[in-house]
Amino acid sequence: MIQLENLCLRNGSFELNDLSATIPSESYGILMGRTGCGKTTILEAICGLRPHVFSGTIRLNDCDVTHLKPAERGIGYVPQDSALFETMSIFENVAFALRLRKWTETDIEKRVHELADLMGITTLLGRQPFGLSGGEAKRVALARALAASPGVLCLDEPLSALDEQTHGEICDLLVELHREINVTILHITHSSTEARRLGETFLRLEDGKLIEGNPE
């Protein structure tokens, strides 16, 4: 579950006030809104990536995480540009969070190959990120985000800048992931078609307010 309670965010001169919303446990949540309205600011606040929170509460799976460090929140995050570590192999990108958590080499090997098989990237594990297609990079970024089995997965326009065929393939992958993995998802998109295909809970950020509704 993702729950925002009277959340006030400040990012320089930009402010969002009294944001309240709930995405139920294991639901696929969609967040829509015009460019520049603050969707990514909300996502970053949930992930703890920037000190945006001025007041209010962020709860994830009934735990108050408002002031916890990102690694303590149990969140997997895929930014819009995938942001893979260019100096690491694909294997090491996926293993990154597991090494931070001091997993054994045996368990890391098993988990990385498990996710690589699920994402269809096993043949890429020995490569570097340079030269990956957009779809391949998204699959790697999703595997990295899911490596430590987070309870919440945040996706910032994960299907942007993909060609039509690849867009459809990653959409299908997200549907499969949601069906197979017990995770609550918050997905930012501008596409109502994408939202209808994937979403179960719909939020729109409009005039600084979060409104529950439908993807239209």
Side-chain angles (χ1 to χ4, degrees):
M1 180 183 70
I2 302 172
Q3 189 172 25
L4 310 181
E5 300 174 350
N6 304 119
L7 194 65
C8 297
L9 306 176
R10 292 182 180 175
N11 185 10
S13 61
F14 180 77
E15 293 187 8
L16 291 170
N17 295 298
D18 298 322
L19 301 174
S20 294
T22 299
I23 297 174
S25 294
E26 299 181 20
S27 177
Y28 200 119
I30 297 289
L31 175 57
M32 304 184 73
R34 299 180 65 177
T35 299
C37 69
K39 302 184 300 298
T40 295
T41 297
I42 292 174
L43 204 68
E44 290 176 344
I46 292 170
C47 294
L49 297 176
R50 299 183 189 274
H52 294 326
V53 178
F54 180 72
S55 63
T57 305
I58 301 169
R59 296 184 185 278
L60 302 178
N61 298 323
D62 294 322
C63 178
D64 184 346
V65 303
T66 311
H67 302 294
L68 293 184
K69 296 177 181 178
E72 299 172 340
R73 299 189 181 207
I75 290 180
Y77 174 57
V78 177
Q80 186 173 351
D81 62 357
S82 297
L84 300 180
F85 304 126
E86 295 293 336
T87 60
M88 296 182 182
S89 68
I90 302 307
F91 183 99
E92 291 301 329
N93 265 272
V94 179
F96 181 75
L98 306 181
R99 295 202 186 284
L100 289 180
R101 289 164 174 78
K102 309 297 184 183
W103 282 39
T104 67
E105 288 299 320
T106 299
D107 287 341
I108 288 173
E109 185 85 16
K110 179 180 178 182
R111 180 61 173 161
V112 169
H113 281 279
E114 177 182 87
L115 285 166
D117 183 60
L118 181 62
M119 300 294 173
I121 59 170
T122 300
T123 59
L124 303 177
L125 291 177
R127 286 182 53 180
Q128 302 293 116
F130 180 78
L132 294 181
S133 69
E136 289 170 339
K138 294 298 182 185
R139 290 172 182 269
V140 174
L142 281 165
R144 183 179 63 183
L146 291 169
S149 301
V152 172
L153 180 63
C154 289
L155 310 174
D156 192 355
E157 298 190 52
L159 304 178
S160 64
L162 297 177
D163 63 78
E164 185 174 353
Q165 179 177 339
T166 305
H167 184 284
E169 291 172 354
I170 302 300
C171 254
D172 289 343
L173 177 61
L174 289 171
V175 170
E176 180 182 356
L177 288 175
H178 186 228
R179 183 170 58 245
E180 294 189 8
I181 299 174
N182 297 326
V183 63
T184 305
I185 298 175
L186 179 56
H187 174 139
I188 291 178
T189 182
H190 289 284
S191 169
S192 57
T193 301
E194 189 177 300
R196 286 194 301 271
R197 183 173 181 181
L198 295 167
E200 297 171 332
T201 302
F202 301 97
L203 300 172
R204 177 175 293 277
L205 184 58
E206 189 171 312
D207 297 326
K209 301 296 181 184
L210 276 175
I211 303 167
E212 296 186 24
N214 59 58
E216 304 303 328

